[in-house]
Every structure is written in C-alpha cells, then in structure tokens.
Amino acid sequence: MLPSVLPTETDHVPVLAEEVVANLDPCPGETVVDGTFGAGGHATLLAQRLRREGKLIAVDRDPTVAPFFERFRRETGVKARLHHGEFSAVLGQLASNGVRADVILLDLGVSSMQIDRPDRGFSYAVDAPLDMRMDPAATYSARELVNDSSERDLADIFKRYGEERYARQIARAIARRRQERPFERTGELVEVVKAAIPAPARFGEGHPAKRVFQALRIEVNDELGALERALPAALEMLRPGGRLGVISFHSLEDRIVKQFLRRQEQGCTCPPDFPVCVCGSEPALRATPRRAIRPSAAEVARNPRAQSARLRVGTKV
Ligand SMILES: C[S@@+](CC[C@H](N)C(=O)[O-])C[C@H]1O[C@@H](n2cnc3c(N)ncnc32)[C@H](O)[C@@H]1O
C-alpha cells in the first residue's frame, strides 16, 4: 500500500469548474456521483450547491484519495461516502442495487497528484519504477506491458493512444533493448525513446517521451474500455432529468462520449433502410448543450493542462 498523500494548497486544479457546475446544475437535496474523485475539487464545488441537503457518492480506483475525501467531508459537511474501485464496476453495482443519481461526473485521466508523485511512475520527467497503475493493487503495470507485449502491439498502442509518429521505430528499439535486460524504470524507457526518434523530432513539441507515456498509461489502466462500460451504467443510474457530464482529454475518449450521446439521442437502432421502426427504442438522453464545451483562453493560460479538455453533458429524457 502506498503511503497517503496529505492534501495541500497545490492539489489538482479542477478543469472547466464553472462550466461543470453551471451545466450539471446540482440542486439542494439531490444525489451527486463523482466517479473520478481525485482531490475532490469538482466534488467540493458540486457539493456546495447541495447546501448540506443532498448526498455525494465519490468513486476512485486510487485508494490514496482517502485523505482528500476526509477533508472534503469535513469541509462541506455533506452526506458522503467513498467507494474504492473502477468507476464502470462501481456504477454498474450501484445501478443494480437500485441507487439513483441526479448528477454524475466523470473527469477522465490521471490527477496532478498521481503525475507529481514519482513513485507512481506516470511521469517521464523523473526516474522511477515503471508502474502507471491508477490502482496500485492492480496486477498489470507498465513494466509488464513494456516487457511482455509484442513489438507490433507496442507500436499499435503508441500509434493509437499516443498518436506517436515514430511508433514503429520506438517499438523496435524497445524490443531490441529488452533482449539484453527487462525495463524496470521510467528513465530507461525515456532514454530508449529519445534514441529511437530522429534528432530534430527530439526537440520538437513537448517532451519526446510524452506521447509514449500517455499511450502506456491509457493501455495499463484500460481507460477507454472503462469509459465504454461506464456510460450505459451511468445512464441506468440517472433519474429522469438527471445530468451526466464527462470531461475528456483525448480525442478517442471524446469520440466515445459523443457517439454514445448520439446513439442515446436517436433511440431507434433499426438499420437506416428500414421503412418503419421495429426496435421500439426511445431516445434516452439529450446532449445539453449540443456541442462539447471547451475551456476559455483565460483558463488555459492559468492551467495549461486544461488545453485539451472537452466537457460533454447529456440530460436523461
Ligand atoms: C483527473 S482526476 C479527477 C480530479 C477531480 N475531478 C478533482 O477535481 O480533484 C481523475 C481521477 O479519476 C481516477 N480515475 C480515472 N479513471 C478511473 C476509473 N476508470 N475508475 C475509477 N477512478 C478512475 C484517477 O485515479 C484520478 O484520481
């Protein structure tokens, strides 16, 4: 078990904070689910709207958020509980237990606390064990992924989740290097990535290992699979009129959310050439607003991490 991190002044800064509160619009007495509790930044803002009359259900697969949850409970005074687990599993369980919610928020990806803690192995900036598990009890880490995957699978992962131009060259260099000895540390991986890409690209946009690290993190934590499974569970949990908000940081995540909203808006799943509807499915959600909400220039200037954030909201019909 990892030692706890104590809440500080420099915790994770919640992105699109005003937009989240305005569009999810929690009201006194309602039940809010924060599926990605982190440092509790969004949860605190949402809970303030409940005015101690509602309930907040927090979920996070990282057990080190516990001290942040205790602080949240102390400071907001709202009725709250924390579930440790992967949000798709927890939402599915809560839904089948008949728990219902008015607001559900998923703020995807890693938190600043996870990135800033070298022992978690998320950062290419510090040498640390190659790990990247959001849940330190999970069995599969970046170490296994890098050492055991085929060269081809690694290249696919770098290309798909990292949009890495030199995916094949990097995968080949990794496969060659691990024949000598397995990768154990982030620093070793950074060195191999740097050496595998052409010199001019090493000094291009951002750190040369940034995209590879992002891709490994997404794969290790099955981030897209978790999102795909969570959306129907969230829909089932929502009461009519309930609001689902998802903040994504990657085009693949945003596409999953956008397509889910579109399918749920359409309702009918009959093939387009059917003259009349035979499936009988009704629209279940409305995208409110229709388009993704992006951060303002002022927010990006304050918090560059917000740059790629997109918030989509659906209201249950
Ligand atoms: C971007 S941070 C959330 C920050 C939070 N909104 C705040 O304002 O402090 C994402 C958090 O969600 C958690 N997380 C990511 N994917 C998850 C999943 N599939 N199930 C449960 N927790 C997840 C991470 O462990 C991390 O703590």
Side-chain angles (χ1 to χ4, degrees):
M1 176 78 187
L2 289 162
S4 297
V5 199
L6 291 173
T8 66
E9 291 301 307
T10 54
D11 295 344
H12 188 91
V13 180
V15 301
L16 290 162
E18 277 171 36
E19 293 83 349
V20 163
V21 176
N23 286 278
L24 296 184
D25 192 25
C27 301
E30 288 193 332
T31 299
V32 173
V33 178
D34 184 342
T36 48
F37 183 78
H42 286 113
T44 302
L45 298 169
L46 295 168
Q48 280 161 2
R49 286 283 210 92
L50 299 177
R51 294 208 220 106
R52 295 182 180 236
E53 288 170 43
K55 199 162 55 184
L56 190 131
I57 301 173
V59 183
D60 205 295
R61 69 197 335 194
D62 185 342
T64 68
V65 306
F68 295 88
F69 177 73
E70 286 317 317
R71 175 183 68 176
F72 162 82
R73 196 154 50 180
R74 231 179 15 253
E75 290 180 356
T76 61
V78 79
K79 230 194 289 166
R81 60 177 197 267
L82 172 65
H83 293 269
H84 169 228
E86 202 270 286
F87 54 54
S88 68
V90 177
L91 294 181
Q93 191 63 52
L94 292 171
S96 53
N97 290 346
V99 178
R100 292 294 172 257
D102 302 285
V103 168
I104 301 178
L105 173 67
L106 300 176
D107 173 20
L108 304 173
V110 270
S111 66
S112 313
M113 291 107 59
Q114 288 166 330
I115 294 191
D116 292 345
R117 290 191 60 190
D119 51 330
R120 305 297 299 266
F122 284 107
S123 172
Y124 42 77
V126 221
D127 183 38
L130 196 49
D131 189 329
M132 303 194 198
R133 290 168 299 172
M134 287 187 194
D135 179 353
T139 47
Y140 191 64
S141 74
R143 188 186 174 284
E144 280 80 43
L145 178 59
V146 168
N147 289 311
D148 302 343
S149 308
S150 69
E151 180 182 326
R152 190 177 175 162
D153 285 352
L154 283 177
D156 284 350
I157 291 166
F158 299 153
K159 180 115 225 134
R160 198 165 132 71
Y161 300 151
E163 292 166 60
E164 172 57 63
R165 227 170 115 196
Y166 302 102
R168 274 192 304 113
Q169 291 87 325
I170 295 170
R172 194 175 317 132
I174 290 176
R176 205 174 302 138
R177 156 63 171 74
R178 73 189 179 189
Q179 283 175 347
E180 294 160 26
R181 57 180 195 287
F183 284 87
E184 300 288 347
R185 304 194 58 90
T186 53
E188 299 167 345
L189 185 60
V190 169
E191 285 312 309
V192 170
V193 172
K194 275 192 193 161
I197 61 183
R202 271 177 236 157
F203 307 101
E205 214 181 279
H207 191 284
K210 184 177 165 186
R211 288 174 297 277
V212 164
F213 271 60
Q214 169 183 295
L216 291 173
R217 191 206 85 207
I218 291 177
E219 175 70 14
V220 165
N221 296 289
D222 182 24
E223 293 181 33
L224 301 182
L227 177 61
E228 299 254 20
R229 295 187 297 274
L231 295 173
L235 175 60
E236 192 186 339
M237 259 193 102
L238 277 183
R239 294 198 175 100
R243 287 81 66 203
L244 166 66
V246 184
I247 302 174
S248 58
F249 292 87
H250 192 289
S251 57
L252 292 175
E253 290 169 343
D254 186 52
R255 191 175 317 147
I256 291 173
V257 181
K258 184 174 158 183
Q259 290 179 347
F260 176 78
L261 287 175
R262 193 172 295 158
R263 279 198 306 279
Q264 297 305 328
E265 271 189 327
Q266 262 169 5
C268 173
T269 54
C270 295
D273 55 343
F274 275 29
V276 288
C277 170
V278 292
C279 74
S281 302
E282 300 281 338
L285 279 173
R286 226 165 2 96
T288 49
R290 299 225 44 82
R291 288 173 177 278
I293 300 167
R294 293 162 176 238
S296 64
E299 174 169 9
V300 175
R302 272 195 317 272
N303 178 14
R305 186 179 169 271
Q307 170 92 54
S308 53
R310 302 281 177 274
L311 167 66
R312 290 191 187 268
V313 179
T315 299
K316 188 157 176 172
V317 177

